[in-house]
Structures are given as structure tokens and as C-alpha cells.
Amino acid sequence: MNTKEECLSKVPVVTAIFWIIKIAATTLGETGGDSVSMSMNLGYLVGTAIFGVIFIGLVIAQISAKKFQPYLYWLTIIATTTVGTTLADFADRSLGIGYAGGSSLLLVLLLSSLFIWYRTTGSVSVNMVRSPKTEIFYWVTIMFSQTLGTALGDWTADTAGLGYTGAAIVFSGLLALIGAAYFWTKIPRTMLFWSAFILTRPLGAVVGDFLDKPISSGGLALSRYAASAVLFVFIAVSIVFFKQRPADQCH
């Protein structure tokens, strides 16, 4: 017989506030990643190394935690999206494989991660994240999804010529369709979750670019540091005022 403590996960229940914070975190990942790699002139490779170390450290802390800790969880999410930003930019721009090539490569890595996770544990549902092994799969998959989302957002806004606002409308529309599918279809919830999780990243990427890119490029030319600070405060306040509870894995 499972006790209540044994049933509680270290990941939160997926609710509306989860998605609001997730979009804010992905936007912060874009502005924060660009702050280090571009505003500080450290470059994409150094930026990736810095955020990669932070990401690994936070994942270790998350796995070592005995219970769900909202601030630790969302700091780890932010780490995945900042390292995803610099890693995608490094692959797309420094390695010269382009947005389409980068998106294709990252899609393969993401699908491979999900496939190996499924073959190893029998499920990729976030409600089944209950052991260090599944937690590692969970965070690696999230990191790949965040990196893919960055490349996809850049490809849509730049190569496809939709601009930041046009790309934001496209990704918002796709997320709305997934929301409608959740309420009005019987499509597996796990599939819908990962689809939405992936799409929130390019939405955050284009919104972040819209905030800090030059006006001549279609942005608002806001300070990356200021935008990152405001987004970080918003996330912190949301965590304080909207109490999140851990997922119940026994149901």
C-alpha cells in the first residue's frame, strides 16, 4: 500500500499556471541566453559551457531533492531553456548548419530521447517520473525540447519571414489547437503534453527576440538585462502567489 508521501512527485501538476510560468521561463531563457552570449560578448560556445554547468548542477540538485521544491524545479527549467538558447544558436550560426538543419537535428535527438525513455521505462508520461533514471530522461528530453524550440522559433521568424509577431501568432495558434484537442478529443494526454511543451519554447523564443532585438529588425530594442530581470521577478512572484502542488503518481 503506497503512502501519500510515496505517491507525490518532484514535478508539479500541469495546470494553467504551469503553462504561464513555462512560457515566461522560455522567454527568460531567450533574453538570458542572449545576455551572456551576445551582450557580454562571450559567444555561443562559452555561453553554452556556462549554462551547461549550471544545468547539470541543478539537475543533480533536483534528483537529490527528497520532495517537490517549486523554486528548484523552475530554476532547472530556466537552466534548460538558457542552455537550449545558446546551444541552438551555436549549432545554427557558429557551426553553420542553419535553422532548418539545426531544427532537423534537434528533432531527431528529441525523438530519440523519448524513444529510449519509452523503451527503458515503458512510459514517457510526466506522471511516471518517480526514480532517478526517469528524472534523468525527463530533464534530458526537456533540454532537447527547449533547444529544438529555440531553433524552430528562429527559423520561423527569420528564414520563413514571418517576423517575431507573425511567428508568435503562429505558435500561439498551434498551442490553442492543442488546448482544444485536450478538451474535445481523445488524443493521448502524454502526446498533447509534449507537443505543448515543445511549442511553448519557440513562442518564448520569438517573444524574447521581439523584446530585445533592434527596432530595425522588428523588435522593441529593450535591454536584455532588464527584460530578463522583469521575467525572473514575474516567475518568482507567480510561484509565491500560485501555490503549486506535486503530481500524485498513484492516480
Side-chain angles (χ1 to χ4, degrees):
M1 193 76 179
N2 290 316
T3 65
K4 184 62 177 175
E5 289 75 16
E6 290 173 333
C7 289
L8 296 181
S9 171
K10 287 186 286 180
V11 301
V13 173
V14 179
T15 60
I17 192 61
F18 173 91
W19 293 115
I20 291 172
I21 298 177
K22 171 60 166 60
I23 293 171
T26 59
T27 308
L28 172 58
E30 187 71 19
T31 58
D34 287 348
S35 294
V36 171
S37 62
M38 300 172 70
S39 295
M40 294 182 182
N41 294 315
L42 295 180
Y44 302 126
L45 183 59
V46 173
T48 299
I50 292 172
F51 290 124
V53 170
I54 295 172
F55 165 64
I56 293 171
L58 286 171
V59 168
I60 292 173
Q62 175 72 15
I63 293 175
S64 301
K66 301 301 181 183
K67 61 181 181 179
F68 172 60
Q69 298 181 20
Y71 289 105
L72 177 58
Y73 176 84
W74 286 108
L75 280 174
T76 311
I77 288 289
I78 292 170
T80 65
T81 191
T82 48
V83 73
T85 295
T86 54
L87 180 58
D89 287 342
F90 175 73
D92 298 341
R93 300 169 186 175
S94 298
L95 295 183
I97 62 178
Y99 297 133
S103 297
S104 300
L105 173 61
L106 290 162
L107 178 60
V108 171
L109 291 173
L110 173 60
L111 294 177
S112 297
S113 178
L114 287 168
F115 177 76
I116 296 171
W117 180 2
Y118 181 80
R119 289 299 299 268
T120 303
T121 67
S123 173
V124 295
S125 170
V126 294
N127 292 327
M128 301 300 290
V129 180
R130 61 179 63 179
S131 69
K133 179 187 293 185
T134 50
E135 282 192 85
I136 290 173
F137 279 122
Y138 177 76
W139 288 111
V140 169
T141 301
I142 285 178
M143 191 271 289
F144 282 143
S145 76
Q146 305 281 41
T147 310
L148 169 62
T150 301
L152 187 60
D154 289 341
W155 180 83
T156 305
D158 297 333
T159 306
L162 294 180
Y164 304 125
T165 54
I169 292 172
V170 168
F171 291 120
S172 296
L174 291 173
L175 285 168
L177 290 176
I178 291 175
Y182 177 85
F183 289 106
W184 296 313
T185 74
K186 296 182 179 180
I187 296 174
R189 297 300 185 252
T190 298
M191 181 183 297
L192 292 176
F193 170 84
W194 285 112
S195 298
F197 201 96
I198 293 167
L199 286 173
T200 54
R201 180 61 188 103
L203 174 60
V206 295
V207 171
D209 283 339
F210 175 70
L211 293 175
D212 63 33
K213 287 297 188 286
I215 294 176
S216 60
S217 299
L220 295 179
L222 300 179
S223 164
R224 293 188 179 105
Y225 303 120
S228 298
V230 169
L231 288 164
F232 187 84
V233 169
F234 173 81
I235 292 170
V237 169
S238 296
I239 294 172
V240 170
F241 283 94
F242 298 96
K243 300 297 182 182
Q244 293 178 293
R245 59 186 178 86
D248 186 342
Q249 298 171 327
C250 296
H251 292 88

